[in-house]
Amino acid sequence: MRFVWAVVAFVLATVLIGAGIAQRTIFMGPTEQRMELSVDEPTPYVLVDADVLRAHTGLQTLLVRGKGDIFVAYGRTDDMKAWLSDTAYDRVTLTKSGNPKTAHVDAQLPPAEGGETSGRSPVGSDLWLDSFADQDALVAEMQLPEGNGVLIARDGVQPAPSNILVSWALDTRTPWAGPLMVAGGVLLAAGIVLYILGIRHQRRGRGPRRKGPGPLPETQPITMPEHAEIAGVADADPGRAQRSLPPRRRLAIALPALALTGVLATGCTADSWPQFDGGTPTPTPSATVVTPENQKQPVVTQKQGQRIVGEIAATLADADAALDASLAETRLTGAALAARKTEYTLRSKIEDRDTTLLSPAGKVPILLPEATESWPRNVLALTAAEDETKPPVLVTMTQVDPWAAYRVTSMAEMPASGEFPQVAPAWLGTTRVPAESAFLSLPPAELAGAFSDFVDAGDKSEYAGDFDDVAGQLAKAVRDSRAAVVQKAADAKADKTSKAEFKMTPADYEPLSLATLGSGAVVAVSVDDTQTVTPTNPDAVIRFGTDAQAKALTGATESSKGYITTYGIQLFFAVPAQGSNQQIRLLAYHQDLLSVKVIK
């Protein structure tokens, strides 16, 4: 019977091991699907639609070959079409039958730089979600959602590579191959053991039989010493000593089967075994965000916004080191650029000037992009440094058209007591609030003027109760600095021959307002705080004395008619919805010297 069970075990082991090996070999099938994209007469740009990349499920692998530089970027198809709107390009789409089709697309707008193509390099554009570059051959793996495409080019002048292959990895996992082969190995080992036991049993049943001895004479019992041992018992019956196998013999028989099982198991990858989840994660409650109807896509993703902020910071660091205003202008505009230019002038003329220039910090814990398909596009970012003792920096960035880079329009530090309002997540984005919106407690267009009146008039201002304590502290600090200027003139006996006048007014920049949760908005505005010093005596002359800033910016040491000093203050406010009983909260502010001009 043992032989029967051994044969059954051998047969089952052969079937199981064979089935496991077959799953990893002859039954495995291809590992990927491929699609070649052909371009007969390449232009400098090739746009591959999302439908082509999503023709099959799974990870998308793009292989582009061609001698020289190769550049590949992916992003929203509509954004790429906007970027290519002023130039001719090749577009690869998918037919109804599932085959790729290439069509030539003419420029929809006049070329930016003349000629048939714009000659504009796609490298470094802020529109791309991500990009890759390589020489002669480029392989990029991606998992693009619907509505995203791929742009293939070189430098915008040379024809784009035409050898393009898209492949999709197929699911070749065989989760039962490993268990089948291991189970077969176990049955094989069991069959070997059964076979050996059967042989042993057969030998014992067919062993030699000798004729028994005749009757022995009667003998007397022999008394043995108490300490003696019956050592000859085992030797008295030779057949009894063979009834059990020695431990070494049993180990020698089991080792081949165990070794075979180990070899089979070792040759199996993780794809050859079932994958079991490590348990169900506990959900974390989060704020409920309702997506408005017809909500557009946000203009940047969290990763994209982080990259843009990092590039802006790196550019400003280079510009600051070289005092290069032209380089700074590639990433700054508006009030932020005006302040930088003035500071560069002062640093070039005052050797020991040690003021710190404000730049975005490295991390972006909060990103609030505008959700729109048109331009200009705006993004608000709260940036934080690795050093937690440094205050966070709020920045607003604007992209004026598809070909422009994002540039910082406003930038200010948050005080330690500041609390950022609740905003929509970056994947959802927000909407821009019109400057004249009546849905806020104060329209954004009136905010800079209201704060200026609060600073100038103090508690007598009609807006005094509209602003919170942080805004009140800043207003008081400005008034105190004005009083200090007057007192300094009085101490120098200059108040008899001159006078100082102060006025805060809205700057000539449009406010930027992005909606928050709760129907409020974060509004960025700028104000100009001017200080005008004029003589009260026709014979008096205003001398700059030790004012190195006035000398550097005016190129003079005195003025017979006086001079005007202008400080720019960039402000971020959280403005509640109309009808709310909350005050307007000051989130961040930063002051810079903008100009000193002699009155002529």
Side-chain angles (χ1 to χ4, degrees):
M1 193 65 183
R2 290 181 176 87
F3 287 114
V4 174
W5 288 113
V7 172
V8 172
F10 288 148
V11 172
L12 291 176
T14 302
V15 172
L16 292 175
I17 294 175
I21 293 175
Q23 286 193 32
R24 298 299 299 170
T25 53
I26 59 176
F27 296 148
M28 191 170 181
T31 60
E32 64 179 14
Q33 289 177 298
R34 295 186 173 187
M35 180 185 291
E36 293 186 5
L37 309 182
S38 61
V39 180
D40 295 334
E41 298 180 2
T43 61
Y45 311 102
V46 175
L47 176 62
V48 182
D49 268 17
D51 292 342
V52 178
L53 298 166
R54 294 168 56 84
H56 301 283
T57 59
L59 184 68
Q60 305 143 2
T61 302
L62 181 68
L63 172 61
V64 183
R65 287 176 291 194
K67 189 175 181 180
D69 295 332
I70 300 176
F71 177 82
V72 171
Y74 67 85
R76 302 170 190 83
T77 302
D78 289 341
D79 286 356
M80 291 186 163
K81 290 166 63 177
W83 192 86
L84 293 167
S85 60
D86 66 338
T87 184
Y89 63 95
D90 293 308
R91 184 177 181 183
V92 184
T93 57
L94 200 67
T95 63
K96 293 182 179 180
S97 60
N99 297 318
K101 176 184 177 181
T102 303
H104 181 80
V105 180
D106 292 324
Q108 304 299 308
L109 298 174
E113 299 178 15
E116 295 183 358
T117 62
S118 66
R120 181 179 53 250
S121 174
V123 179
S125 173
D126 287 345
L127 278 183
W128 317 144
L129 298 178
D130 205 351
S131 61
F132 314 90
D134 212 329
Q135 288 276 339
D136 300 334
L138 186 148
V139 178
E141 292 185 344
M142 56 194 74
Q143 189 81 48
L144 296 188
E146 185 177 357
N148 288 263
V150 168
L151 178 67
I152 302 171
R154 295 187 187 276
D155 58 0
V157 177
Q158 302 179 55
S162 57
N163 191 343
I164 306 169
L165 177 69
V166 184
S167 63
W168 297 264
L170 296 176
D171 188 359
T172 57
R173 292 176 298 172
T174 53
W176 294 108
L180 286 173
M181 286 188 278
V182 171
V186 172
L187 285 176
L188 178 62
I192 293 173
V193 172
L194 289 172
Y195 180 75
I196 293 172
L197 291 176
I199 293 176
R200 191 187 71 167
H201 179 73
Q202 186 180 48
R203 287 181 177 177
R204 288 181 58 193
R206 295 181 181 181
R209 297 182 180 181
R210 298 180 181 178
K211 186 177 180 180
L216 296 175
E218 184 178 353
T219 58
Q220 299 295 326
I222 300 174
T223 303
M224 299 295 291
E226 295 181 0
H227 63 276
E229 296 181 359
I230 307 176
V233 174
D235 297 333
D237 189 355
R240 186 184 299 273
Q242 298 178 1
R243 292 183 183 178
S244 60
L245 293 173
R248 293 183 180 178
R249 180 78 177 274
R250 293 196 298 268
L251 182 60
I253 293 172
L255 279 177
L258 294 174
L260 177 61
T261 304
V263 170
L264 293 174
T266 303
C268 299
T269 64
D271 292 339
S272 303
W273 297 89
Q275 302 296 320
F276 301 101
D277 294 332
T280 303
T282 302
T284 301
S286 58
T288 301
V289 179
V290 178
T291 304
E293 290 188 30
N294 302 321
Q295 174 81 358
K296 307 297 184 181
Q297 280 191 329
V299 295
V300 297
T301 63
Q302 180 72 41
K303 180 180 178 181
Q304 185 182 5
Q306 176 72 67
R307 186 190 75 238
I308 293 172
V309 168
E311 291 174 354
I312 290 175
T315 301
L316 292 182
D318 294 340
D320 294 346
L323 301 181
D324 188 343
S326 298
L327 180 59
E329 193 169 358
T330 62
R331 285 300 191 177
L332 295 177
T333 188
L337 176 62
R340 213 74 167 200
K341 287 183 174 180
T342 300
E343 184 60 32
Y344 286 174
T345 301
L346 292 173
R347 289 192 173 197
S348 65
K349 297 182 178 181
I350 303 175
E351 294 183 0
D352 57 348
R353 188 168 179 80
D354 58 355
T355 55
T356 301
L357 286 168
L358 188 63
S359 291
K363 298 186 297 183
V364 184
I366 296 178
L367 185 76
L368 187 62
E370 184 180 4
T372 183
E373 295 178 349
S374 60
W375 279 268
R377 296 178 170 184
N378 302 284
V379 178
L380 172 71
L382 174 64
T383 67
E386 295 291 342
D387 185 358
E388 296 183 356
T389 61
K390 295 182 178 180
V393 177
L394 265 178
V395 297
T396 53
M397 304 179 294
T398 298
Q399 185 184 43
V400 296
D401 58 48
W403 310 282
Y406 274 96
R407 297 196 292 173
V408 173
T409 55
S410 297
M411 185 164 40
E413 306 103 320
M414 281 189 70
S417 58
E419 182 179 351
F420 201 78
Q422 286 190 331
V423 296
W427 57 263
L428 179 60
T430 188
T431 57
R432 182 170 182 177
V433 179
E436 304 295 338
S437 174
F439 295 101
L440 299 178
S441 62
L442 192 66
E446 300 177 13
L447 185 58
F451 182 74
S452 298
D453 185 73
F454 177 43
V455 171
D456 290 342
D459 294 337
K460 296 179 181 180
S461 171
E462 61 176 305
Y463 303 103
D466 294 341
F467 293 93
D468 69 345
D469 292 340
V470 179
Q473 292 171 9
L474 175 61
K476 183 178 182 302
V478 173
R479 290 193 291 267
D480 289 345
S481 67
R482 293 174 175 179
V485 171
V486 174
Q487 185 61 46
K488 183 178 179 181
D491 294 341
K493 308 299 184 183
D495 57 328
K496 305 297 183 181
T497 57
S498 66
K499 65 176 180 178
E501 296 177 333
F502 306 93
K503 183 69 175 178
M504 182 173 285
T505 57
D508 294 331
Y509 304 113
E510 184 179 358
L512 175 58
S513 311
L514 296 176
T516 63
L517 299 181
S519 301
V522 174
V523 183
V525 297
S526 296
V527 295
D528 291 337
D529 186 31
T530 58
Q531 167 189 313
T532 304
V533 178
T534 56
T536 57
N537 189 321
D539 299 326
V541 174
I542 305 297
R543 292 187 175 86
F544 297 147
T546 59
D547 191 344
Q549 295 181 150
K551 293 179 180 178
L553 295 178
T554 62
T557 58
E558 61 182 31
S559 172
S560 60
K561 295 184 179 181
Y563 65 98
I564 301 173
T565 303
T566 303
Y567 295 91
I569 306 178
Q570 300 170 63
L571 304 160
F572 288 81
F573 291 99
V575 183
Q578 177 68 37
S580 173
N581 56 4
Q582 296 180 350
Q583 292 179 308
I584 299 173
R585 295 191 296 113
L586 178 61
L587 300 178
Y589 58 90
H590 184 74
Q591 177 176 299
D592 297 284
L593 175 62
L594 295 183
S595 66
V596 179
K597 297 180 179 179
V598 173
I599 299 175
K600 297 182 179 179

